[in-house]
């Protein structure tokens, strides 16, 4: 159980690092929920999810670049099996 938790934390850390360093990345949706780290120490930026060339979701968000204050969950069930391009704008 402890090893699984460590692997999950490492994966989340890598994802957070990739997302905060890139202005856009592509993710394959293969689970119902996408967990997003939130920090009150960062400024809000516009975040968009683009699926099959269409902006499906767009919102202002404080994406954590380090240890998050908390996590929010996006229900992505209707997009399972599809690629989504994640984009942020200042």
């Amino acid at each position: 159980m402890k090893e699984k938790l460590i692997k999950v934390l490492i994966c989340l850390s890598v994802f957070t690092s990739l997302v905060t360093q890139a202005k856009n990345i592509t993710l394959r949706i293969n689970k119902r929920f996408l967990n997003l780290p939130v920090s009150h120490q960062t400024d809000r930026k516009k975040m968009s999810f683009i699926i099959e060339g269409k902006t499906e979701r767009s919102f202002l968000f404080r994406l954590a670049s380090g240890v998050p204050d908390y996590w929010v969950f996006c229900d992505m069930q209707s997009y399972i099996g599809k690629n989504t391009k994640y984009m942020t704008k200042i």
Side-chain angles (χ1 to χ4, degrees):
M1 180 72 170
K2 187 176 180 181
E3 288 180 16
K4 185 176 181 180
L5 178 60
I6 290 170
K7 287 178 184 177
V8 168
L9 291 174
I10 290 170
C11 288
L12 291 173
S13 176
V14 169
F15 171 77
T16 301
S17 178
L18 285 172
V19 167
T20 57
Q21 291 176 17
K23 293 202 179 205
N24 66 63
I25 60 172
T26 299
L27 300 171
R28 177 108 175 135
I29 304 299
N30 58 14
K31 299 204 179 215
R32 179 174 180 176
F33 293 104
L34 178 62
N35 303 329
L36 299 170
V38 179
S39 173
H40 290 291
Q41 282 69 48
T42 59
D43 293 329
R44 285 186 177 109
K45 294 181 181 176
K46 184 177 180 180
M47 176 187 283
S48 300
F49 291 111
I50 301 168
I51 299 173
E52 296 178 352
K54 181 181 173 190
T55 301
E56 293 291 335
R57 296 186 184 170
S58 188
F59 45 90
L60 293 177
F61 193 73
R62 295 178 185 262
L63 187 64
S65 61
V67 176
D69 293 319
Y70 59 94
W71 294 82
V72 296
F73 308 94
C74 289
D75 187 346
M76 304 294 279
Q77 183 172 8
S78 59
Y79 308 116
I80 290 176
K82 297 181 180 180
N83 291 327
T84 180
K85 185 177 275 190
Y86 154 88
M87 300 183 74
T88 59
K89 295 181 182 177
I90 297 175

